[in-house]
Short mmCIF file of all heavy atoms in Angstrom, two decimals:
data_model
loop_
_atom_site.label_atom_id
_atom_site.label_comp_id
_atom_site.label_asym_id
_atom_site.label_seq_id
_atom_site.Cartn_x
_atom_site.Cartn_y
_atom_site.Cartn_z
N ASP A 1 -18.56 -49.63 66.51
CA ASP A 1 -17.49 -48.81 65.90
C ASP A 1 -16.52 -49.67 65.11
O ASP A 1 -15.32 -49.48 65.24
CB ASP A 1 -16.86 -48.00 66.93
CG ASP A 1 -15.98 -46.83 66.35
OD1 ASP A 1 -16.41 -46.40 65.23
OD2 ASP A 1 -15.01 -46.41 66.90
N ILE A 2 -17.06 -50.65 64.32
CA ILE A 2 -16.15 -51.50 63.59
C ILE A 2 -16.77 -51.65 62.06
O ILE A 2 -17.96 -51.38 61.86
CB ILE A 2 -16.04 -52.93 64.16
CG1 ILE A 2 -17.40 -53.58 64.26
CG2 ILE A 2 -15.33 -52.82 65.52
CD1 ILE A 2 -17.33 -55.07 64.60
N ASP A 3 -15.89 -52.09 61.22
CA ASP A 3 -16.33 -52.43 59.89
C ASP A 3 -16.70 -53.91 59.88
O ASP A 3 -15.97 -54.71 60.50
CB ASP A 3 -15.27 -52.22 58.85
CG ASP A 3 -15.13 -50.75 58.43
OD1 ASP A 3 -16.03 -49.97 58.68
OD2 ASP A 3 -13.99 -50.38 57.94
N VAL A 4 -17.84 -54.28 59.28
CA VAL A 4 -18.34 -55.64 59.20
C VAL A 4 -18.27 -56.10 57.72
O VAL A 4 -18.80 -55.35 56.85
CB VAL A 4 -19.67 -55.81 59.81
CG1 VAL A 4 -20.15 -57.23 59.62
CG2 VAL A 4 -19.72 -55.45 61.26
N TYR A 5 -17.64 -57.22 57.44
CA TYR A 5 -17.60 -57.73 56.12
C TYR A 5 -18.53 -58.85 55.97
O TYR A 5 -18.58 -59.80 56.89
CB TYR A 5 -16.18 -58.21 55.71
CG TYR A 5 -15.18 -57.10 55.57
CD1 TYR A 5 -14.57 -56.46 56.65
CD2 TYR A 5 -14.92 -56.59 54.26
CE1 TYR A 5 -13.68 -55.45 56.51
CE2 TYR A 5 -13.96 -55.49 54.11
CZ TYR A 5 -13.42 -54.96 55.26
OH TYR A 5 -12.57 -53.92 55.08
N GLU A 6 -19.34 -58.85 54.87
CA GLU A 6 -20.37 -59.90 54.76
C GLU A 6 -20.31 -60.47 53.30
O GLU A 6 -20.13 -59.70 52.32
CB GLU A 6 -21.76 -59.35 55.05
CG GLU A 6 -21.96 -58.85 56.46
CD GLU A 6 -23.15 -58.05 56.71
OE1 GLU A 6 -23.62 -57.35 55.73
OE2 GLU A 6 -23.73 -58.07 57.82
N ILE A 7 -20.52 -61.80 53.21
CA ILE A 7 -20.65 -62.44 51.95
C ILE A 7 -22.06 -62.99 51.78
O ILE A 7 -22.50 -63.68 52.71
CB ILE A 7 -19.60 -63.64 51.75
CG1 ILE A 7 -18.19 -63.05 51.82
CG2 ILE A 7 -19.84 -64.34 50.47
CD1 ILE A 7 -17.07 -64.14 51.80
N LYS A 8 -22.70 -62.72 50.64
CA LYS A 8 -24.06 -63.13 50.44
C LYS A 8 -24.12 -64.01 49.12
O LYS A 8 -23.39 -63.66 48.18
CB LYS A 8 -25.01 -62.03 50.33
CG LYS A 8 -25.24 -61.18 51.63
CD LYS A 8 -26.27 -60.15 51.40
CE LYS A 8 -27.66 -60.63 51.16
NZ LYS A 8 -28.68 -59.53 51.03
N LEU A 9 -24.91 -64.95 49.09
CA LEU A 9 -25.25 -65.75 47.88
C LEU A 9 -26.67 -65.56 47.62
O LEU A 9 -27.49 -66.08 48.35
CB LEU A 9 -24.87 -67.23 47.99
CG LEU A 9 -25.00 -68.08 46.84
CD1 LEU A 9 -24.02 -67.66 45.72
CD2 LEU A 9 -24.75 -69.55 47.10
N ASP A 10 -27.04 -64.83 46.50
CA ASP A 10 -28.41 -64.40 46.35
C ASP A 10 -28.84 -63.59 47.57
O ASP A 10 -28.16 -62.63 47.96
CB ASP A 10 -29.34 -65.56 46.01
CG ASP A 10 -29.00 -66.20 44.65
OD1 ASP A 10 -28.57 -65.39 43.76
OD2 ASP A 10 -29.17 -67.35 44.52
N ASP A 11 -29.89 -63.99 48.22
CA ASP A 11 -30.35 -63.23 49.41
C ASP A 11 -29.95 -63.85 50.74
O ASP A 11 -30.27 -63.51 51.83
CB ASP A 11 -31.90 -63.13 49.37
CG ASP A 11 -32.38 -62.25 48.25
OD1 ASP A 11 -31.69 -61.30 47.91
OD2 ASP A 11 -33.47 -62.53 47.74
N GLU A 12 -29.04 -64.91 50.60
CA GLU A 12 -28.72 -65.70 51.81
C GLU A 12 -27.28 -65.26 52.33
O GLU A 12 -26.32 -65.19 51.51
CB GLU A 12 -28.71 -67.20 51.51
CG GLU A 12 -28.45 -68.11 52.65
CD GLU A 12 -28.60 -69.52 52.32
OE1 GLU A 12 -28.65 -69.83 51.15
OE2 GLU A 12 -28.76 -70.36 53.21
N TYR A 13 -27.18 -64.98 53.61
CA TYR A 13 -25.91 -64.67 54.17
C TYR A 13 -25.07 -65.92 54.37
O TYR A 13 -25.50 -66.83 55.02
CB TYR A 13 -26.07 -63.95 55.53
CG TYR A 13 -26.58 -62.54 55.41
CD1 TYR A 13 -27.94 -62.24 55.39
CD2 TYR A 13 -25.69 -61.50 55.24
CE1 TYR A 13 -28.39 -60.94 55.27
CE2 TYR A 13 -26.17 -60.18 55.10
CZ TYR A 13 -27.45 -59.92 55.11
OH TYR A 13 -27.93 -58.57 55.00
N LEU A 14 -23.83 -65.89 53.79
CA LEU A 14 -22.93 -67.07 54.00
C LEU A 14 -21.93 -66.82 55.19
O LEU A 14 -21.65 -67.74 55.86
CB LEU A 14 -22.13 -67.25 52.69
CG LEU A 14 -22.96 -67.74 51.44
CD1 LEU A 14 -21.97 -68.01 50.31
CD2 LEU A 14 -23.76 -68.91 51.73
N MET A 15 -21.42 -65.61 55.23
CA MET A 15 -20.34 -65.29 56.21
C MET A 15 -20.54 -63.89 56.67
O MET A 15 -20.92 -63.02 55.94
CB MET A 15 -18.92 -65.48 55.58
CG MET A 15 -18.63 -66.90 55.20
SD MET A 15 -17.98 -67.79 56.69
CE MET A 15 -17.58 -69.32 55.88
N SER A 16 -20.24 -63.60 57.95
CA SER A 16 -20.12 -62.30 58.49
C SER A 16 -18.95 -62.18 59.43
O SER A 16 -18.74 -63.15 60.24
CB SER A 16 -21.41 -61.91 59.21
OG SER A 16 -21.22 -60.69 59.94
N SER A 17 -18.19 -61.12 59.40
CA SER A 17 -17.08 -61.01 60.31
C SER A 17 -17.52 -60.68 61.73
O SER A 17 -16.72 -60.56 62.61
CB SER A 17 -16.08 -59.95 59.80
OG SER A 17 -16.76 -58.68 59.66
N LEU A 18 -18.84 -60.50 61.90
CA LEU A 18 -19.35 -60.35 63.30
C LEU A 18 -19.30 -61.63 64.04
O LEU A 18 -19.23 -61.64 65.28
CB LEU A 18 -20.79 -59.85 63.24
CG LEU A 18 -21.14 -58.37 63.31
CD1 LEU A 18 -22.62 -58.11 63.25
CD2 LEU A 18 -20.50 -57.74 64.50
N PHE A 19 -19.33 -62.75 63.30
CA PHE A 19 -19.47 -64.08 63.98
C PHE A 19 -18.28 -64.93 63.48
O PHE A 19 -18.41 -65.49 62.39
CB PHE A 19 -20.73 -64.74 63.65
CG PHE A 19 -21.98 -63.83 63.82
CD1 PHE A 19 -22.64 -63.25 62.75
CD2 PHE A 19 -22.43 -63.53 65.13
CE1 PHE A 19 -23.70 -62.47 62.91
CE2 PHE A 19 -23.56 -62.69 65.28
CZ PHE A 19 -24.15 -62.19 64.16
N THR A 20 -17.27 -65.04 64.25
CA THR A 20 -16.08 -65.81 63.81
C THR A 20 -15.68 -66.91 64.84
O THR A 20 -14.75 -67.66 64.56
CB THR A 20 -14.89 -64.93 63.52
OG1 THR A 20 -14.55 -64.27 64.78
CG2 THR A 20 -15.23 -63.86 62.44
N ASP A 21 -16.36 -66.94 65.98
CA ASP A 21 -15.95 -67.82 67.07
C ASP A 21 -15.89 -69.29 66.60
O ASP A 21 -14.94 -70.07 66.81
CB ASP A 21 -16.86 -67.69 68.27
CG ASP A 21 -16.87 -66.35 68.86
OD1 ASP A 21 -17.41 -65.43 68.18
OD2 ASP A 21 -16.41 -66.17 69.98
N ALA A 22 -17.01 -69.72 65.96
CA ALA A 22 -17.07 -71.19 65.55
C ALA A 22 -16.09 -71.50 64.44
O ALA A 22 -15.51 -72.56 64.44
CB ALA A 22 -18.48 -71.46 65.14
N GLU A 23 -15.83 -70.58 63.52
CA GLU A 23 -14.93 -70.79 62.44
C GLU A 23 -13.52 -70.98 62.99
O GLU A 23 -12.73 -71.83 62.61
CB GLU A 23 -14.92 -69.58 61.46
CG GLU A 23 -16.18 -69.57 60.58
CD GLU A 23 -17.31 -68.82 61.16
OE1 GLU A 23 -17.30 -68.59 62.32
OE2 GLU A 23 -18.18 -68.46 60.39
N ILE A 24 -13.18 -70.15 64.02
CA ILE A 24 -11.86 -70.28 64.68
C ILE A 24 -11.84 -71.60 65.51
O ILE A 24 -10.73 -72.29 65.46
CB ILE A 24 -11.55 -69.07 65.51
CG1 ILE A 24 -11.43 -67.81 64.60
CG2 ILE A 24 -10.37 -69.23 66.42
CD1 ILE A 24 -11.49 -66.51 65.45
N ALA A 25 -12.86 -71.91 66.13
CA ALA A 25 -12.93 -73.10 67.01
C ALA A 25 -12.78 -74.36 66.10
O ALA A 25 -12.17 -75.39 66.59
CB ALA A 25 -14.24 -73.17 67.77
N LEU A 26 -13.23 -74.33 64.92
CA LEU A 26 -13.12 -75.44 64.04
C LEU A 26 -11.65 -75.82 63.85
O LEU A 26 -11.28 -77.02 63.93
CB LEU A 26 -13.77 -75.11 62.63
CG LEU A 26 -13.51 -76.11 61.45
CD1 LEU A 26 -14.20 -77.44 61.82
CD2 LEU A 26 -14.09 -75.54 60.22
N ALA A 27 -10.81 -74.90 63.60
CA ALA A 27 -9.34 -75.19 63.46
C ALA A 27 -8.71 -75.45 64.77
O ALA A 27 -7.94 -76.47 64.89
CB ALA A 27 -8.71 -74.01 62.81
N ASP A 28 -9.05 -74.77 65.81
CA ASP A 28 -8.40 -74.94 67.07
C ASP A 28 -8.78 -76.35 67.67
O ASP A 28 -7.86 -77.03 68.13
CB ASP A 28 -8.85 -73.85 68.07
CG ASP A 28 -8.22 -72.48 67.76
OD1 ASP A 28 -7.34 -72.43 66.90
OD2 ASP A 28 -8.74 -71.49 68.30
N LEU A 29 -10.05 -76.72 67.62
CA LEU A 29 -10.42 -78.01 68.18
C LEU A 29 -9.93 -79.15 67.35
O LEU A 29 -9.51 -80.20 67.84
CB LEU A 29 -11.95 -78.07 68.30
CG LEU A 29 -12.63 -77.11 69.29
CD1 LEU A 29 -14.15 -77.14 69.13
CD2 LEU A 29 -12.19 -77.52 70.76
N GLY A 30 -9.96 -79.03 66.06
CA GLY A 30 -9.49 -80.12 65.22
C GLY A 30 -8.03 -80.31 65.29
O GLY A 30 -7.53 -81.50 65.47
N LEU A 31 -7.24 -79.25 65.25
CA LEU A 31 -5.79 -79.39 65.27
C LEU A 31 -5.24 -79.74 66.68
O LEU A 31 -4.15 -80.33 66.81
CB LEU A 31 -5.13 -78.14 64.77
CG LEU A 31 -5.44 -77.79 63.30
CD1 LEU A 31 -4.73 -76.54 62.84
CD2 LEU A 31 -5.02 -78.94 62.38
N ALA A 32 -6.07 -79.37 67.76
CA ALA A 32 -5.60 -79.74 69.08
C ALA A 32 -5.55 -81.21 69.29
O ALA A 32 -4.81 -81.73 70.23
CB ALA A 32 -6.56 -79.14 70.09
N GLU A 33 -6.15 -82.02 68.39
CA GLU A 33 -6.15 -83.49 68.62
C GLU A 33 -4.89 -84.11 68.00
O GLU A 33 -4.67 -85.29 68.12
CB GLU A 33 -7.37 -84.10 67.83
CG GLU A 33 -8.74 -83.68 68.43
CD GLU A 33 -8.91 -84.24 69.83
OE1 GLU A 33 -8.66 -85.49 69.99
OE2 GLU A 33 -9.27 -83.52 70.73
N LEU A 34 -4.07 -83.35 67.33
CA LEU A 34 -2.87 -83.84 66.67
C LEU A 34 -1.61 -83.47 67.36
O LEU A 34 -1.55 -82.45 68.00
CB LEU A 34 -2.85 -83.34 65.25
CG LEU A 34 -3.95 -83.80 64.29
CD1 LEU A 34 -3.99 -82.99 63.01
CD2 LEU A 34 -3.89 -85.29 64.00
N SER A 35 -0.61 -84.43 67.31
CA SER A 35 0.72 -84.06 67.83
C SER A 35 1.68 -84.06 66.68
O SER A 35 1.39 -84.43 65.53
CB SER A 35 1.08 -85.08 68.86
OG SER A 35 1.09 -86.39 68.32
#
């Protein structure tokens, strides 16, 4: 019961709002190393 946003390049899926855990973790894990 949600809207899903998807970006495609030709027939290849680049991004989907169904899967955001790793994209968020990229910022969280990287910035956690800095003070």
Side-chain angles (χ1 to χ4, degrees):
D1 195 30
I2 60 171
D3 284 340
V4 176
Y5 290 82
E6 296 168 329
I7 298 176
K8 293 180 67 178
L9 186 63
D10 293 327
D11 293 326
E12 187 172 15
Y13 285 91
L14 296 184
M15 293 277 181
S16 171
S17 60
L18 267 181
F19 313 104
T20 62
D21 300 69
E23 287 88 342
I24 294 169
L26 172 63
D28 290 347
L29 292 171
L31 297 180
E33 295 295 311
L34 296 168
S35 58

